[in-house]
Amino acid sequence: MEKQAKHRIYRLNPVAISKVEEWTRKYRLMWSRKFEKLDILPQERMKKLNRKPNEVNEERASKAGITMNLIPVFTAITSVILGHALEMSQMLGGLMTIAGMLLIAIKRKQVSQINAPSLNNKT
């Protein structure tokens, strides 16, 4: 960074940017193909499951919501990889997110064991 009166001039490191671009290049093609399928696959799957296209599966929606909580954790990991320091609040937030997900997973397992019929009870 270079200060000139009220202006600050920033310069980007082209080597670091080229490394990021190189890393993302290999995923770009894969994800573009997957995004193209997003319009086709759900409709075909709904037909197989005899569901309406806009019908919501509560179990899947719940799992997706829980998994989305990991986005800040992965963002923090990526920022550390790119050389940024994490603050204590960010680390605590990430730990709380992971702990919450673990507690939900444990609770789900307990509920599924209670609701599942026993294999030993044959009538």
Side-chain angles (χ1 to χ4, degrees):
M1 180 190 67
E2 183 180 322
K3 284 187 180 182
Q4 291 180 355
K6 292 184 178 180
H7 302 281
R8 295 179 184 199
I9 300 170
Y10 292 89
R11 289 182 174 60
L12 296 175
N13 181 352
V15 175
I17 292 174
S18 66
K19 287 180 183 179
V20 171
E21 196 277 329
E22 183 180 316
W23 181 79
T24 57
R25 186 182 314 139
K26 60 184 171 183
Y27 294 102
R28 193 174 298 140
L29 180 61
M30 176 190 71
W31 282 111
S32 64
R33 290 178 183 159
K34 289 185 181 217
F35 285 136
E36 288 171 4
K37 292 180 181 179
L38 282 177
D39 288 333
I40 299 166
L41 294 179
Q43 294 171 3
E44 291 175 1
R45 184 150 190 204
M46 289 296 145
K47 288 177 186 176
K48 288 179 184 177
L49 297 173
N50 293 325
R51 291 190 182 149
K52 296 176 186 173
N54 294 328
E55 189 176 342
V56 176
N57 182 331
E58 289 181 17
E59 184 180 341
R60 286 188 178 173
S62 174
K63 287 181 181 177
I66 292 168
T67 307
M68 286 178 59
N69 287 330
L70 283 176
I71 292 173
V73 174
F74 289 124
T75 303
I77 291 169
T78 304
S79 66
V80 168
I81 290 171
L82 294 176
H84 297 279
L86 289 180
E87 294 181 13
M88 183 60 77
S89 61
Q90 292 170 316
M91 288 187 255
L92 288 174
L95 289 174
M96 289 173 62
T97 301
I98 293 170
M101 290 185 62
L102 290 173
L103 289 172
I104 290 171
I106 290 168
K107 184 68 174 176
R108 266 202 187 138
K109 188 173 183 179
Q110 291 172 347
V111 169
S112 67
Q113 288 174 349
I114 291 169
N115 292 337
S118 177
L119 297 176
N120 297 331
N121 295 340
K122 294 183 181 178
T123 55

